Amino acid sequence: QVQLWERGGGLVEVGGSLRLSCDASVSSYITEVAWYRQAPGKQREEVARITSRGSVNYLDAVKGRFTISRDNAQNTFYLEMKSLKSDDTAVYYCNIERWGSIYWGQGTQVTVSS
């Protein structure tokens, strides 16, 4: 059973920063890692993705502000968020692909106050 635990969410003011972390219960054969978010009343959307080779993709709305990274040795994945906006308020989810299966964390709330 693969498990993911997100941490690092919280309340921050507009313009502030947060770093989200995702700890995985497995270390091997994780191909892609992604962060998603879901705001109230909206569909879940992919924010950032990083492959096992280090290729990254970002949602246009977060380009230049968010950075995804992975520490394979620590089984931990990160989403560094800077210059936060009120529109970034959402529950953020970690997502991994391993052996063709997709796994989700439970989510962590990020609230950006103006």
Side-chain angles (χ1 to χ4, degrees), residues 4-18:
L4 303 172
W5 299 273
E6 298 100 337
R7 51 191 170 89
L11 176 64
V12 64
E13 293 184 347
V14 169
S17 301
L18 280 176

Side-chain angles (χ1 to χ4, degrees), residues 3-10 18-24 33-36 67-71 74-81 92-96 104-110:
Q3 292 184 296
L4 303 172
W5 299 273
E6 298 100 337
R7 51 191 170 89
L18 280 176
R19 186 175 80 158
L20 305 183
S21 301
C22 174
D23 299 307
V33 177
W35 287 91
Y36 284 72
T67 302
I68 188 172
S69 61
R70 55 192 293 174
D71 183 341
Q74 298 295 325
N75 312 333
T76 302
F77 316 105
Y78 303 98
L79 185 67
E80 189 81 37
M81 306 185 294
Y92 284 72
Y93 299 88
C94 177
N95 165 295
I96 68 168
W104 293 89
Q106 80 288 350
T108 185
Q109 176 70 47
V110 171

Side-chain angles (χ1 to χ4, degrees), residues 34-107:
W35 287 91
Y36 284 72
R37 68 185 181 187
Q38 188 166 19
K42 295 186 177 181
Q43 291 188 333
R44 191 173 296 189
E45 62 181 356
E46 182 176 304
V47 175
R49 177 175 295 273
I50 184 168
T51 69
S52 58
R53 296 183 178 183
S55 296
V56 297
N57 280 295
Y58 295 97
L59 180 70
D60 285 346
V62 307
K63 283 181 180 177
R65 300 188 298 120
F66 289 13
T67 302
I68 188 172
S69 61
R70 55 192 293 174
D71 183 341
N72 295 324
Q74 298 295 325
N75 312 333
T76 302
F77 316 105
Y78 303 98
L79 185 67
E80 189 81 37
M81 306 185 294
K82 299 181 180 179
S83 303
L84 283 162
K85 306 176 180 180
S86 56
D87 287 347
D88 296 320
T89 295
V91 178
Y92 284 72
Y93 299 88
C94 177
N95 165 295
I96 68 168
E97 179 180 350
R98 183 175 187 266
W99 287 116
S101 295
I102 303 297
Y103 302 91
W104 293 89
Q106 80 288 350

